[in-house]
């Protein structure tokens, strides 16, 4: 019988002026972007942590410390691909991914499909195995007031025999 494992990832970054907004590897036009040591792609960070968690591997902060200058301004897609190598080396293959982006602004409906396609490409999955949803926070809390964008991701992986 197939051996499936599930993992969850969560991340939040602050929205600030003078930064590009990158979500799921896709640049989204907006007057602010996410602050962080890398490109601060909150969604790819949550995907990476969900994948690593499903395989019980060390988390993104352990693999790519934000104190390491090597990761300053890093493309989070490259960090995800490095995590994918660890996942495959441990004998796992991604099975499907379900994502929620928590953002009051900008409106993301036009970007959900391109983001899902990019995540599918990075994980070597068919696009119909990746779901991307966007939710506002009803004006409440740091997400609702536009101080931050967060992401929650669940990934299922399959242990290859
Ligand atoms: Mg992060």
């Amino acid at each position: 019988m197939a051996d499936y494992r599930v993992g969850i990832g969560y991340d939040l970054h602050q929205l600030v002026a003078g930064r590009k907004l990158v979500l799921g590897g896709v640049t989204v036009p907006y007057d602010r972007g996410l602050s962080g040591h890398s490109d601060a792609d909150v969604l790819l960070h949550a995907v990476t942590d969900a994948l690593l968690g499903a395989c019980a591997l060390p988390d993104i902060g352990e693999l790519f410390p934000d104190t390491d200058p090597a990761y300053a301004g890093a493309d989070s897609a490259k960090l995800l691909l490095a995590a994918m190598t660890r996942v495959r080396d441990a004998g796992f293959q991604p099975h499907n991914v379900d994502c929620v982006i928590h953002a009051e602004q900008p409106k993301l409906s036009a970007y959900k499909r391109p983001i899902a396609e990019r995540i599918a490409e990075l994980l070597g999955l068919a696009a119909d195995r990746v779901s991307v949803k966007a939710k506002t926070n009803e004006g409440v809390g740091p997400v609702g007031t536009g101080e931050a964008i967060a992401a929650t991701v669940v990934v299922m992986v399959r242990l290859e025999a």
Side-chain angles (χ1 to χ4, degrees), residues 19-20 22 24-27 37-41 44-45 48 60 64 70-82 118 122:
R19 295 267 300 184
K20 208 165 66 160
V22 185
V26 173
T27 300
H37 186 65
S38 65
D39 66 6
D41 187 330
L44 287 193
H45 292 179
T48 302
I60 189 170
F64 314 110
Y71 303 119
D75 176 353
S76 295
K78 292 200 175 120
L79 305 186
L80 174 53
L81 290 173
R118 178 63 179 143
L122 289 167

Side-chain angles (χ1 to χ4, degrees), residues 11-13 40-42 45:
D11 197 19
L12 178 148
H13 282 260
D41 187 330
V42 68
H45 292 179

Side-chain angles (χ1 to χ4, degrees), residues 86-109:
R86 301 282 296 247
V87 166
R88 291 208 169 99
D89 286 350
F92 293 97
Q93 284 294 330
H95 189 70
N96 74 299
V97 183
D98 193 11
C99 308
V100 181
I101 304 168
H102 311 269
E104 205 71 12
Q105 292 283 340
K107 290 293 166 213
L108 295 171
S109 44

